């Protein structure tokens, strides 16, 4: 091949590379624009729904824009992860009734750190709400029982069941922990937003809370939420299941009361108190999204009507 022929080939290759790069840029750019158009469309629907809701008279809660405003239904579901509760087959023990205070609120309790301060506890795109809810119960119970120091325990996403990021049950988590001596500190076994192979080795890890047994308790019917209130009055918090309405992902403040809307999202959370607002009874509910939420990690949910299966 002659010198000029060789140079021509090099020039042609360079031009081809530039054209290919230009095509790559253009295709990536178009994909970028397309993705943003999709997000804009979702945001527009959310905005219209939010504006319509807030303009109604007599609504009990306010909606606004948060991190979920541009997510698809499937993307929202990846931030959930609860499976519908199954009534236990074994004999259950009842909850002893007692005189109850008018309200209880553990949101400022030293055993329940602010949700936004627990950055590593944001469940992210892993359907592990069941593990967050189960762990919160253990952490709070151990803290109350001992010296009042808040705990940071390992979330047992990848040990008590396979594909833990695809959902689970809190009682499975507690049963696993009871069978293995307890729950480790998070520093011994950090949480990730992906399901991994379980490497829980109690003898090699620091156990933050020893657990000897896990027994089913009373199955509470919505006609009698007193048992739940009694548990709270006894210095414990509760793991609950909810079938969330679409409006939950735009909740901003006040009292959530949306049982009349569709409920297509299953989520596990914790009830950490109860009270009354403008003659409306409510539960104080704590969730596991530490960022992008306007209500500092909590939502008030109407009490005694089994809203979204909370009771």
């Amino acid at each position: 091949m002659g010198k000029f022929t060789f140079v021509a080939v090099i020039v042609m290759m360079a031009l081809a590379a530039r054209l290919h790069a230009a095509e790559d840029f253009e295709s990536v750019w178009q994909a970028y624009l397309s993705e943003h158009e999709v997000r804009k469309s979702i945001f527009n629907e959310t905005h219209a729904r939010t504006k319509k809701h807030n303009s109604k008279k007599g609504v009990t809660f306010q909606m606004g824009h948060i991190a979920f405003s541009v997510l698809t239904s499937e993307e929202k579901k990846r931030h959930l992860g609860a499976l519908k509760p199954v009534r236990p087959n074994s004999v259950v023990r009842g909850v002893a009734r007692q005189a109850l205070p008018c309200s209880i609120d553990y949101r400022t309790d030293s055993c329940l750190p602010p949700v936004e301060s627990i950055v590593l506890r944001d469940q992210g795109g892993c359907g592990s709400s069941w593990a967050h809810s189960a762990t919160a119960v253990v952490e709070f119970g151990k803290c109350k029982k001992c010296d009042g120091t808040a705990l940071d325990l390992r979330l047992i996403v990848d040990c008590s069941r396979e594909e833990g990021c695809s959902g689970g049950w809190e009682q499975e988590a507690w049963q696993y922990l009871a069978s293995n001596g307890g729950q480790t500190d998070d520093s011994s076994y950090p949480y990730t937003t992906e399901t991994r192979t379980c490497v829980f080795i109690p003898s090699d890890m620091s156990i933050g809370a020893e657990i000897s047994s896990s027994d089913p308790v009373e199955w509470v019917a919505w006609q009698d939420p007193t048992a739940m209130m009694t548990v709270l009055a006894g210095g414990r918090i509760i793991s609950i299941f909810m079938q969330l309405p679409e409006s939950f992902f735009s909740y901003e403040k006040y009292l959530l009361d949306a049982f009349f809307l569709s409920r297509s999202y299953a989520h596990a959370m914790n009830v950490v108190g109860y009270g009354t607002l403008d003659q409306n009874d409510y539960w104080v509910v704590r969730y596991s999204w530490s960022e992008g939420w306007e209500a500092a990690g909590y939502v008030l949910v109407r009490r005694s009507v089994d809203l979204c299966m909370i009771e």
Side-chain angles (χ1 to χ4, degrees), residues 50-171:
T50 298
K51 187 176 180 180
K52 180 179 179 180
H53 170 85
N54 291 343
S55 66
K56 293 179 180 178
K57 292 184 178 180
V59 293
T60 59
F61 67 99
Q62 197 80 14
M63 291 172 62
H65 288 296
I66 57 173
F68 293 105
S69 292
V70 295
L71 298 189
T72 66
S73 293
E74 287 304 312
E75 288 170 334
K76 290 174 183 175
K77 289 177 181 178
R78 288 200 289 270
H79 288 75
L80 303 175
L83 300 181
K84 189 174 181 179
V86 178
R87 185 185 294 270
N89 294 321
S90 56
V91 177
V92 300
R93 58 184 175 86
V95 176
R97 297 300 194 269
Q98 64 183 62
L100 298 171
C102 295
S103 64
I104 290 175
D105 194 337
Y106 291 124
R107 279 180 287 184
T108 58
D109 193 285
S110 61
C111 287
L112 204 63
V115 175
E116 63 267 25
S117 71
I118 314 176
V119 178
L120 296 178
R121 282 300 176 83
D122 187 347
Q123 70 178 83
C126 170
S128 58
S129 64
W130 60 278
H132 284 263
S133 180
T135 297
V137 169
V138 176
E139 288 177 333
F140 190 81
K142 174 65 184 294
C143 178
K144 283 295 184 184
K145 187 175 182 179
C146 297
D147 60 1
T149 302
L151 300 179
D152 188 12
L153 300 182
R154 157 65 185 169
L155 294 167
I156 28 49
V157 177
D158 41 28
C159 290
S160 61
R161 65 183 288 110
E162 294 182 1
E163 299 299 327
C165 280
S166 298
W169 288 283
E170 296 91 324
Q171 67 264 31

Side-chain angles (χ1 to χ4, degrees), residues 89-303:
N89 294 321
S90 56
V91 177
V92 300
R93 58 184 175 86
V95 176
R97 297 300 194 269
Q98 64 183 62
L100 298 171
C102 295
S103 64
I104 290 175
D105 194 337
Y106 291 124
R107 279 180 287 184
T108 58
D109 193 285
S110 61
C111 287
L112 204 63
V115 175
E116 63 267 25
S117 71
I118 314 176
V119 178
L120 296 178
R121 282 300 176 83
D122 187 347
Q123 70 178 83
C126 170
S128 58
S129 64
W130 60 278
H132 284 263
S133 180
T135 297
V137 169
V138 176
E139 288 177 333
F140 190 81
K142 174 65 184 294
C143 178
K144 283 295 184 184
K145 187 175 182 179
C146 297
D147 60 1
T149 302
L151 300 179
D152 188 12
L153 300 182
R154 157 65 185 169
L155 294 167
I156 28 49
V157 177
D158 41 28
C159 290
S160 61
R161 65 183 288 110
E162 294 182 1
E163 299 299 327
C165 280
S166 298
W169 288 283
E170 296 91 324
Q171 67 264 31
E172 280 191 345
W174 292 321
Q175 289 165 0
Y176 175 85
L177 294 173
S179 299
N180 289 274
Q183 197 158 0
T184 65
D185 292 326
D186 186 70
S187 58
S188 299
Y189 194 169
Y191 170 70
T192 67
T193 56
E194 297 178 351
T195 301
R196 302 178 299 178
T197 301
C198 179
V199 292
F200 181 71
I201 307 173
S203 59
D204 296 341
M205 298 178 178
S206 174
I207 299 297
E210 294 182 358
I211 301 174
S212 59
S213 65
S214 177
D215 301 321
V217 296
E218 183 176 350
W219 187 271
V220 182
W222 71 266
Q223 293 92 341
D224 183 22
T226 307
M228 293 171 65
M229 297 164 69
T230 302
V231 170
L232 291 164
R236 292 175 289 172
I237 62 174
I238 303 171
S239 181
I240 55 97
F241 167 94
M242 285 187 72
Q243 286 278 20
L244 303 179
E246 186 71 48
S247 56
F248 186 88
F249 296 99
S250 299
Y251 171 85
E252 192 171 50
K253 55 186 176 181
Y254 306 133
L255 180 67
L256 184 69
D257 185 1
F259 59 89
F260 52 88
L261 299 176
S262 61
R263 298 172 293 177
S264 56
Y265 302 96
H267 197 38
M269 295 177 284
N270 296 100
V271 169
V272 302
Y274 64 84
T276 302
L277 176 67
D278 297 331
Q279 299 184 331
N280 293 310
D281 295 336
Y282 65 80
W283 298 114
V284 181
V285 179
R286 187 177 198 256
Y287 46 81
S288 46
W289 303 317
S290 65
E291 297 177 350
W293 191 273
E294 295 295 332
Y298 293 93
V299 54
L300 302 184
V301 177
R302 186 180 291 277
R303 172 163 53 95

